[in-house]
Amino acid sequence: GDVTRPELLDEFRCLASIYVVRGNNDGEWAAGIAKTLHFRIEGVEFFMTHNKKDVAWELGSTQVVIFGHTHSYFEKTIDGRLWLNPGSCGRRRFRMELTIAVLELDEDGWRAERVDIPDETPQRKEKDAPQKCGRRSIEAVLKRMEKGQTVSRIAEELKLEPAFVEEICRIKVTHPGVTAL
């Protein structure tokens, strides 16, 4: 949820299959998008909604509950069920950290990993100063990776934490059909 523009969904759909729920900041264009979804990936049952207060009372055999709305990363296993809010990777809001979650599924279940995105937003001195987001860093890392540069060289050139660069490269290699953008 909170995609805010249909063009963004079109961009994501060109890159991979996606599941989307309607957020409170999605306008009338999103009237046809469901508020909640049940789906299965690799035998794992998911329930997804934007606002945690909209989680169904009866989750049945759901193993992973994904929600958002607060823009704050949350990961906790309750009664054998993973509750996951990946945070926010778009424009910075409410002074919250920028994060995404990588969820790996296998025969043993799931493993969630928090990925922190460096905030490139300069401290604003003027109320209407433009903001940058972590997308540029991710694009720059991927471009250099495709040229065969090493993680340490990419991190040095872009003045990024090596762990962040390594994580972006790992996601690209292990999940070739998925993008963090």
Side-chain angles (χ1 to χ4, degrees), residues 31-60:
I33 297 176
K35 233 179 154 177
T36 64
L37 282 180
H38 288 272
F39 55 93
R40 179 187 301 255
I41 300 175
E42 299 290 329
V44 176
E45 292 189 39
F46 290 82
F47 177 86
M48 185 168 70
T49 189
H50 180 67
N51 194 329
K52 191 165 88 170
K53 74 177 186 174
D54 294 321
V55 172
W57 284 95
E58 178 52 47
L59 289 170

PDB file of all heavy atoms in Angstrom, residues 31-60:
ATOM      1  N   ALA A  31      -9.082   2.243  -6.385  1.00  0.00           N
ATOM      2  CA  ALA A  31     -10.346   1.730  -5.833  1.00  0.00           C
ATOM      3  C   ALA A  31     -10.523   0.235  -6.093  1.00  0.00           C
ATOM      4  O   ALA A  31     -11.140  -0.466  -5.298  1.00  0.00           O
ATOM      5  CB  ALA A  31     -11.522   2.511  -6.409  1.00  0.00           C
ATOM      6  N   GLY A  32      -9.967  -0.284  -7.177  1.00  0.00           N
ATOM      7  CA  GLY A  32     -10.108  -1.696  -7.504  1.00  0.00           C
ATOM      8  C   GLY A  32      -9.086  -2.608  -6.844  1.00  0.00           C
ATOM      9  O   GLY A  32      -9.136  -3.829  -7.011  1.00  0.00           O
ATOM     10  N   ILE A  33      -8.158  -2.044  -6.095  1.00  0.00           N
ATOM     11  CA  ILE A  33      -7.130  -2.847  -5.421  1.00  0.00           C
ATOM     12  C   ILE A  33      -7.668  -3.303  -4.073  1.00  0.00           C
ATOM     13  O   ILE A  33      -8.204  -2.510  -3.300  1.00  0.00           O
ATOM     14  CB  ILE A  33      -5.821  -2.036  -5.245  1.00  0.00           C
ATOM     15  CG1 ILE A  33      -5.243  -1.672  -6.613  1.00  0.00           C
ATOM     16  CG2 ILE A  33      -4.803  -2.819  -4.420  1.00  0.00           C
ATOM     17  CD1 ILE A  33      -4.010  -0.780  -6.558  1.00  0.00           C
ATOM     18  N   ALA A  34      -7.524  -4.580  -3.791  1.00  0.00           N
ATOM     19  CA  ALA A  34      -8.051  -5.158  -2.550  1.00  0.00           C
ATOM     20  C   ALA A  34      -7.354  -4.583  -1.321  1.00  0.00           C
ATOM     21  O   ALA A  34      -6.177  -4.227  -1.369  1.00  0.00           O
ATOM     22  CB  ALA A  34      -7.876  -6.676  -2.574  1.00  0.00           C
ATOM     23  N   LYS A  35      -8.076  -4.540  -0.218  1.00  0.00           N
ATOM     24  CA  LYS A  35      -7.512  -4.095   1.060  1.00  0.00           C
ATOM     25  C   LYS A  35      -6.701  -5.196   1.721  1.00  0.00           C
ATOM     26  O   LYS A  35      -5.781  -4.932   2.483  1.00  0.00           O
ATOM     27  CB  LYS A  35      -8.654  -3.692   1.991  1.00  0.00           C
ATOM     28  CG  LYS A  35      -8.518  -2.336   2.580  1.00  0.00           C
ATOM     29  CD  LYS A  35      -9.721  -2.025   3.458  1.00  0.00           C
ATOM     30  CE  LYS A  35      -9.299  -1.029   4.495  1.00  0.00           C
ATOM     31  NZ  LYS A  35     -10.391  -0.606   5.342  1.00  0.00           N
ATOM     32  N   THR A  36      -7.063  -6.454   1.441  1.00  0.00           N
ATOM     33  CA  THR A  36      -6.348  -7.595   2.000  1.00  0.00           C
ATOM     34  C   THR A  36      -6.168  -8.660   0.929  1.00  0.00           C
ATOM     35  O   THR A  36      -6.950  -8.730  -0.021  1.00  0.00           O
ATOM     36  CB  THR A  36      -7.110  -8.219   3.190  1.00  0.00           C
ATOM     37  OG1 THR A  36      -8.356  -8.746   2.721  1.00  0.00           O
ATOM     38  CG2 THR A  36      -7.348  -7.213   4.299  1.00  0.00           C
ATOM     39  N   LEU A  37      -5.133  -9.477   1.091  1.00  0.00           N
ATOM     40  CA  LEU A  37      -4.861 -10.576   0.158  1.00  0.00           C
ATOM     41  C   LEU A  37      -4.432 -11.818   0.917  1.00  0.00           C
ATOM     42  O   LEU A  37      -3.711 -11.722   1.915  1.00  0.00           O
ATOM     43  CB  LEU A  37      -3.705 -10.216  -0.782  1.00  0.00           C
ATOM     44  CG  LEU A  37      -3.941  -9.299  -1.954  1.00  0.00           C
ATOM     45  CD1 LEU A  37      -2.638  -9.091  -2.721  1.00  0.00           C
ATOM     46  CD2 LEU A  37      -5.002  -9.846  -2.883  1.00  0.00           C
ATOM     47  N   HIS A  38      -4.858 -12.956   0.429  1.00  0.00           N
ATOM     48  CA  HIS A  38      -4.345 -14.261   0.861  1.00  0.00           C
ATOM     49  C   HIS A  38      -3.669 -14.853  -0.367  1.00  0.00           C
ATOM     50  O   HIS A  38      -4.244 -14.839  -1.452  1.00  0.00           O
ATOM     51  CB  HIS A  38      -5.480 -15.206   1.291  1.00  0.00           C
ATOM     52  CG  HIS A  38      -6.111 -14.857   2.578  1.00  0.00           C
ATOM     53  ND1 HIS A  38      -5.630 -15.317   3.779  1.00  0.00           N
ATOM     54  CD2 HIS A  38      -7.188 -14.092   2.871  1.00  0.00           C
ATOM     55  CE1 HIS A  38      -6.393 -14.856   4.756  1.00  0.00           C
ATOM     56  NE2 HIS A  38      -7.343 -14.103   4.230  1.00  0.00           N
ATOM     57  N   PHE A  39      -2.445 -15.365  -0.228  1.00  0.00           N
ATOM     58  CA  PHE A  39      -1.775 -16.013  -1.347  1.00  0.00           C
ATOM     59  C   PHE A  39      -0.755 -17.005  -0.820  1.00  0.00           C
ATOM     60  O   PHE A  39      -0.425 -17.012   0.355  1.00  0.00           O
ATOM     61  CB  PHE A  39      -1.126 -14.998  -2.299  1.00  0.00           C
ATOM     62  CG  PHE A  39      -0.169 -14.039  -1.652  1.00  0.00           C
ATOM     63  CD1 PHE A  39       1.190 -14.308  -1.605  1.00  0.00           C
ATOM     64  CD2 PHE A  39      -0.626 -12.846  -1.092  1.00  0.00           C
ATOM     65  CE1 PHE A  39       2.071 -13.430  -1.011  1.00  0.00           C
ATOM     66  CE2 PHE A  39       0.249 -11.954  -0.505  1.00  0.00           C
ATOM     67  CZ  PHE A  39       1.604 -12.246  -0.462  1.00  0.00           C
ATOM     68  N   ARG A  40      -0.263 -17.849  -1.733  1.00  0.00           N
ATOM     69  CA  ARG A  40       0.692 -18.896  -1.368  1.00  0.00           C
ATOM     70  C   ARG A  40       1.885 -18.796  -2.325  1.00  0.00           C
ATOM     71  O   ARG A  40       1.722 -18.681  -3.524  1.00  0.00           O
ATOM     72  CB  ARG A  40       0.045 -20.266  -1.494  1.00  0.00           C
ATOM     73  CG  ARG A  40       0.957 -21.426  -1.172  1.00  0.00           C
ATOM     74  CD  ARG A  40       0.288 -22.757  -1.496  1.00  0.00           C
ATOM     75  NE  ARG A  40      -0.945 -22.928  -0.765  1.00  0.00           N
ATOM     76  CZ  ARG A  40      -1.088 -23.722   0.282  1.00  0.00           C
ATOM     77  NH1 ARG A  40      -0.090 -24.446   0.700  1.00  0.00           N
ATOM     78  NH2 ARG A  40      -2.238 -23.824   0.901  1.00  0.00           N
ATOM     79  N   ILE A  41       3.084 -18.865  -1.742  1.00  0.00           N
ATOM     80  CA  ILE A  41       4.328 -18.915  -2.521  1.00  0.00           C
ATOM     81  C   ILE A  41       5.159 -20.060  -1.968  1.00  0.00           C
ATOM     82  O   ILE A  41       5.425 -20.107  -0.761  1.00  0.00           O
ATOM     83  CB  ILE A  41       5.130 -17.591  -2.425  1.00  0.00           C
ATOM     84  CG1 ILE A  41       4.307 -16.414  -2.942  1.00  0.00           C
ATOM     85  CG2 ILE A  41       6.450 -17.713  -3.191  1.00  0.00           C
ATOM     86  CD1 ILE A  41       4.973 -15.061  -2.763  1.00  0.00           C
ATOM     87  N   GLU A  42       5.575 -20.963  -2.848  1.00  0.00           N
ATOM     88  CA  GLU A  42       6.419 -22.093  -2.457  1.00  0.00           C
ATOM     89  C   GLU A  42       5.864 -22.833  -1.230  1.00  0.00           C
ATOM     90  O   GLU A  42       6.605 -23.223  -0.338  1.00  0.00           O
ATOM     91  CB  GLU A  42       7.849 -21.626  -2.168  1.00  0.00           C
ATOM     92  CG  GLU A  42       8.553 -20.990  -3.347  1.00  0.00           C
ATOM     93  CD  GLU A  42       8.903 -21.991  -4.437  1.00  0.00           C
ATOM     94  OE1 GLU A  42       9.156 -23.159  -4.134  1.00  0.00           O
ATOM     95  OE2 GLU A  42       8.913 -21.566  -5.604  1.00  0.00           O
ATOM     96  N   GLY A  43       4.543 -22.982  -1.182  1.00  0.00           N
ATOM     97  CA  GLY A  43       3.922 -23.725  -0.093  1.00  0.00           C
ATOM     98  C   GLY A  43       3.723 -22.940   1.195  1.00  0.00           C
ATOM     99  O   GLY A  43       3.191 -23.465   2.166  1.00  0.00           O
ATOM    100  N   VAL A  44       4.148 -21.691   1.235  1.00  0.00           N
ATOM    101  CA  VAL A  44       3.974 -20.848   2.423  1.00  0.00           C
ATOM    102  C   VAL A  44       2.750 -19.960   2.199  1.00  0.00           C
ATOM    103  O   VAL A  44       2.635 -19.296   1.171  1.00  0.00           O
ATOM    104  CB  VAL A  44       5.232 -19.988   2.699  1.00  0.00           C
ATOM    105  CG1 VAL A  44       5.005 -19.054   3.879  1.00  0.00           C
ATOM    106  CG2 VAL A  44       6.439 -20.874   2.944  1.00  0.00           C
ATOM    107  N   GLU A  45       1.855 -19.944   3.187  1.00  0.00           N
ATOM    108  CA  GLU A  45       0.633 -19.154   3.080  1.00  0.00           C
ATOM    109  C   GLU A  45       0.829 -17.771   3.697  1.00  0.00           C
ATOM    110  O   GLU A  45       1.312 -17.650   4.824  1.00  0.00           O
ATOM    111  CB  GLU A  45      -0.525 -19.877   3.756  1.00  0.00           C
ATOM    112  CG  GLU A  45      -0.912 -21.137   3.009  1.00  0.00           C
ATOM    113  CD  GLU A  45      -2.186 -21.745   3.526  1.00  0.00           C
ATOM    114  OE1 GLU A  45      -3.127 -20.995   3.861  1.00  0.00           O
ATOM    115  OE2 GLU A  45      -2.227 -22.983   3.593  1.00  0.00           O
ATOM    116  N   PHE A  46       0.426 -16.745   2.946  1.00  0.00           N
ATOM    117  CA  PHE A  46       0.589 -15.351   3.332  1.00  0.00           C
ATOM    118  C   PHE A  46      -0.767 -14.667   3.496  1.00  0.00           C
ATOM    119  O   PHE A  46      -1.726 -15.001   2.810  1.00  0.00           O
ATOM    120  CB  PHE A  46       1.348 -14.572   2.247  1.00  0.00           C
ATOM    121  CG  PHE A  46       2.792 -14.939   2.111  1.00  0.00           C
ATOM    122  CD1 PHE A  46       3.170 -16.049   1.370  1.00  0.00           C
ATOM    123  CD2 PHE A  46       3.771 -14.166   2.712  1.00  0.00           C
ATOM    124  CE1 PHE A  46       4.508 -16.375   1.222  1.00  0.00           C
ATOM    125  CE2 PHE A  46       5.108 -14.483   2.571  1.00  0.00           C
ATOM    126  CZ  PHE A  46       5.471 -15.601   1.833  1.00  0.00           C
ATOM    127  N   PHE A  47      -0.795 -13.691   4.387  1.00  0.00           N
ATOM    128  CA  PHE A  47      -1.896 -12.738   4.479  1.00  0.00           C
ATOM    129  C   PHE A  47      -1.240 -11.372   4.431  1.00  0.00           C
ATOM    130  O   PHE A  47      -0.252 -11.126   5.127  1.00  0.00           O
ATOM    131  CB  PHE A  47      -2.673 -12.887   5.798  1.00  0.00           C
ATOM    132  CG  PHE A  47      -3.764 -11.863   5.937  1.00  0.00           C
ATOM    133  CD1 PHE A  47      -5.019 -12.096   5.402  1.00  0.00           C
ATOM    134  CD2 PHE A  47      -3.532 -10.660   6.589  1.00  0.00           C
ATOM    135  CE1 PHE A  47      -6.026 -11.148   5.508  1.00  0.00           C
ATOM    136  CE2 PHE A  47      -4.534  -9.703   6.705  1.00  0.00           C
ATOM    137  CZ  PHE A  47      -5.787  -9.951   6.166  1.00  0.00           C
ATOM    138  N   MET A  48      -1.754 -10.473   3.574  1.00  0.00           N
ATOM    139  CA  MET A  48      -1.141  -9.154   3.439  1.00  0.00           C
ATOM    140  C   MET A  48      -2.224  -8.081   3.489  1.00  0.00           C
ATOM    141  O   MET A  48      -3.294  -8.227   2.899  1.00  0.00           O
ATOM    142  CB  MET A  48      -0.380  -9.055   2.106  1.00  0.00           C
ATOM    143  CG  MET A  48       0.375  -7.753   1.941  1.00  0.00           C
ATOM    144  SD  MET A  48       1.548  -7.760   0.548  1.00  0.00           S
ATOM    145  CE  MET A  48       0.461  -7.772  -0.854  1.00  0.00           C
ATOM    146  N   THR A  49      -1.918  -7.022   4.226  1.00  0.00           N
ATOM    147  CA  THR A  49      -2.784  -5.853   4.304  1.00  0.00           C
ATOM    148  C   THR A  49      -1.906  -4.632   4.570  1.00  0.00           C
ATOM    149  O   THR A  49      -0.747  -4.772   4.972  1.00  0.00           O
ATOM    150  CB  THR A  49      -3.855  -6.013   5.399  1.00  0.00           C
ATOM    151  OG1 THR A  49      -4.795  -4.926   5.287  1.00  0.00           O
ATOM    152  CG2 THR A  49      -3.247  -6.029   6.795  1.00  0.00           C
ATOM    153  N   HIS A  50      -2.433  -3.462   4.347  1.00  0.00           N
ATOM    154  CA  HIS A  50      -1.635  -2.259   4.595  1.00  0.00           C
ATOM    155  C   HIS A  50      -1.586  -1.939   6.089  1.00  0.00           C
ATOM    156  O   HIS A  50      -0.521  -1.746   6.652  1.00  0.00           O
ATOM    157  CB  HIS A  50      -2.209  -1.071   3.818  1.00  0.00           C
ATOM    158  CG  HIS A  50      -1.447   0.197   4.020  1.00  0.00           C
ATOM    159  ND1 HIS A  50      -0.164   0.366   3.570  1.00  0.00           N
ATOM    160  CD2 HIS A  50      -1.786   1.343   4.650  1.00  0.00           C
ATOM    161  CE1 HIS A  50       0.259   1.570   3.909  1.00  0.00           C
ATOM    162  NE2 HIS A  50      -0.702   2.193   4.569  1.00  0.00           N
ATOM    163  N   ASN A  51      -2.737  -1.906   6.723  1.00  0.00           N
ATOM    164  CA  ASN A  51      -2.820  -1.520   8.128  1.00  0.00           C
ATOM    165  C   ASN A  51      -3.057  -2.762   8.989  1.00  0.00           C
ATOM    166  O   ASN A  51      -3.991  -3.517   8.744  1.00  0.00           O
ATOM    167  CB  ASN A  51      -3.957  -0.509   8.321  1.00  0.00           C
ATOM    168  CG  ASN A  51      -3.898   0.176   9.661  1.00  0.00           C
ATOM    169  OD1 ASN A  51      -3.441  -0.397  10.650  1.00  0.00           O
ATOM    170  ND2 ASN A  51      -4.370   1.409   9.707  1.00  0.00           N
ATOM    171  N   LYS A  52      -2.228  -2.953   9.986  1.00  0.00           N
ATOM    172  CA  LYS A  52      -2.329  -4.143  10.842  1.00  0.00           C
ATOM    173  C   LYS A  52      -3.716  -4.292  11.471  1.00  0.00           C
ATOM    174  O   LYS A  52      -4.171  -5.401  11.730  1.00  0.00           O
ATOM    175  CB  LYS A  52      -1.240  -4.105  11.916  1.00  0.00           C
ATOM    176  CG  LYS A  52      -1.098  -5.407  12.670  1.00  0.00           C
ATOM    177  CD  LYS A  52       0.186  -5.457  13.451  1.00  0.00           C
ATOM    178  CE  LYS A  52       0.043  -4.874  14.811  1.00  0.00           C
ATOM    179  NZ  LYS A  52       1.194  -5.101  15.680  1.00  0.00           N
ATOM    180  N   LYS A  53      -4.406  -3.193  11.682  1.00  0.00           N
ATOM    181  CA  LYS A  53      -5.741  -3.289  12.283  1.00  0.00           C
ATOM    182  C   LYS A  53      -6.735  -4.000  11.358  1.00  0.00           C
ATOM    183  O   LYS A  53      -7.773  -4.447  11.800  1.00  0.00           O
ATOM    184  CB  LYS A  53      -6.277  -1.917  12.692  1.00  0.00           C
ATOM    185  CG  LYS A  53      -6.731  -1.058  11.541  1.00  0.00           C
ATOM    186  CD  LYS A  53      -7.320   0.242  12.023  1.00  0.00           C
ATOM    187  CE  LYS A  53      -7.902   0.985  10.821  1.00  0.00           C
ATOM    188  NZ  LYS A  53      -8.610   2.157  11.169  1.00  0.00           N
ATOM    189  N   ASP A  54      -6.381  -4.154  10.077  1.00  0.00           N
ATOM    190  CA  ASP A  54      -7.248  -4.840   9.120  1.00  0.00           C
ATOM    191  C   ASP A  54      -6.918  -6.327   8.972  1.00  0.00           C
ATOM    192  O   ASP A  54      -7.466  -6.994   8.099  1.00  0.00           O
ATOM    193  CB  ASP A  54      -7.166  -4.164   7.745  1.00  0.00           C
ATOM    194  CG  ASP A  54      -7.723  -2.755   7.766  1.00  0.00           C
ATOM    195  OD1 ASP A  54      -8.745  -2.530   8.454  1.00  0.00           O
ATOM    196  OD2 ASP A  54      -7.144  -1.884   7.095  1.00  0.00           O
ATOM    197  N   VAL A  55      -6.040  -6.851   9.818  1.00  0.00           N
ATOM    198  CA  VAL A  55      -5.712  -8.274   9.759  1.00  0.00           C
ATOM    199  C   VAL A  55      -6.946  -9.077  10.154  1.00  0.00           C
ATOM    200  O   VAL A  55      -7.624  -8.755  11.132  1.00  0.00           O
ATOM    201  CB  VAL A  55      -4.518  -8.620  10.687  1.00  0.00           C
ATOM    202  CG1 VAL A  55      -4.315 -10.127  10.766  1.00  0.00           C
ATOM    203  CG2 VAL A  55      -3.252  -7.937  10.198  1.00  0.00           C
ATOM    204  N   ALA A  56      -7.224 -10.112   9.373  1.00  0.00           N
ATOM    205  CA  ALA A  56      -8.392 -10.961   9.624  1.00  0.00           C
ATOM    206  C   ALA A  56      -8.275 -11.624  10.996  1.00  0.00           C
ATOM    207  O   ALA A  56      -7.185 -12.025  11.409  1.00  0.00           O
ATOM    208  CB  ALA A  56      -8.491 -12.031   8.533  1.00  0.00           C
ATOM    209  N   TRP A  57      -9.395 -11.757  11.677  1.00  0.00           N
ATOM    210  CA  TRP A  57      -9.381 -12.428  12.982  1.00  0.00           C
ATOM    211  C   TRP A  57      -9.012 -13.882  12.831  1.00  0.00           C
ATOM    212  O   TRP A  57      -8.291 -14.432  13.645  1.00  0.00           O
ATOM    213  CB  TRP A  57     -10.754 -12.297  13.647  1.00  0.00           C
ATOM    214  CG  TRP A  57     -10.994 -10.936  14.210  1.00  0.00           C
ATOM    215  CD1 TRP A  57     -11.636  -9.907  13.607  1.00  0.00           C
ATOM    216  CD2 TRP A  57     -10.550 -10.454  15.467  1.00  0.00           C
ATOM    217  NE1 TRP A  57     -11.634  -8.805  14.414  1.00  0.00           N
ATOM    218  CE2 TRP A  57     -10.969  -9.120  15.586  1.00  0.00           C
ATOM    219  CE3 TRP A  57      -9.846 -11.018  16.531  1.00  0.00           C
ATOM    220  CZ2 TRP A  57     -10.720  -8.345  16.694  1.00  0.00           C
ATOM    221  CZ3 TRP A  57      -9.600 -10.238  17.644  1.00  0.00           C
ATOM    222  CH2 TRP A  57     -10.034  -8.923  17.716  1.00  0.00           C
ATOM    223  N   GLU A  58      -9.516 -14.509  11.799  1.00  0.00           N
ATOM    224  CA  GLU A  58      -9.232 -15.931  11.575  1.00  0.00           C
ATOM    225  C   GLU A  58      -8.184 -16.045  10.467  1.00  0.00           C
ATOM    226  O   GLU A  58      -8.490 -15.855   9.297  1.00  0.00           O
ATOM    227  CB  GLU A  58     -10.517 -16.673  11.172  1.00  0.00           C
ATOM    228  CG  GLU A  58     -10.315 -18.127  10.867  1.00  0.00           C
ATOM    229  CD  GLU A  58      -9.571 -18.901  11.955  1.00  0.00           C
ATOM    230  OE1 GLU A  58      -9.914 -18.760  13.139  1.00  0.00           O
ATOM    231  OE2 GLU A  58      -8.628 -19.623  11.611  1.00  0.00           O
ATOM    232  N   LEU A  59      -6.962 -16.347  10.857  1.00  0.00           N
ATOM    233  CA  LEU A  59      -5.869 -16.463   9.889  1.00  0.00           C
ATOM    234  C   LEU A  59      -5.674 -17.894   9.406  1.00  0.00           C
ATOM    235  O   LEU A  59      -4.878 -18.130   8.499  1.00  0.00           O
ATOM    236  CB  LEU A  59      -4.573 -15.925  10.504  1.00  0.00           C
ATOM    237  CG  LEU A  59      -4.541 -14.410  10.682  1.00  0.00           C
ATOM    238  CD1 LEU A  59      -3.343 -13.997  11.526  1.00  0.00           C
ATOM    239  CD2 LEU A  59      -4.519 -13.711   9.341  1.00  0.00           C
ATOM    240  N   GLY A  60      -6.375 -18.841   9.989  1.00  0.00           N
ATOM    241  CA  GLY A  60      -6.291 -20.225   9.539  1.00  0.00           C
ATOM    242  C   GLY A  60      -4.857 -20.725   9.505  1.00  0.00           C
ATOM    243  O   GLY A  60      -4.125 -20.623  10.483  1.00  0.00           O
TER     244      GLY A  60
END
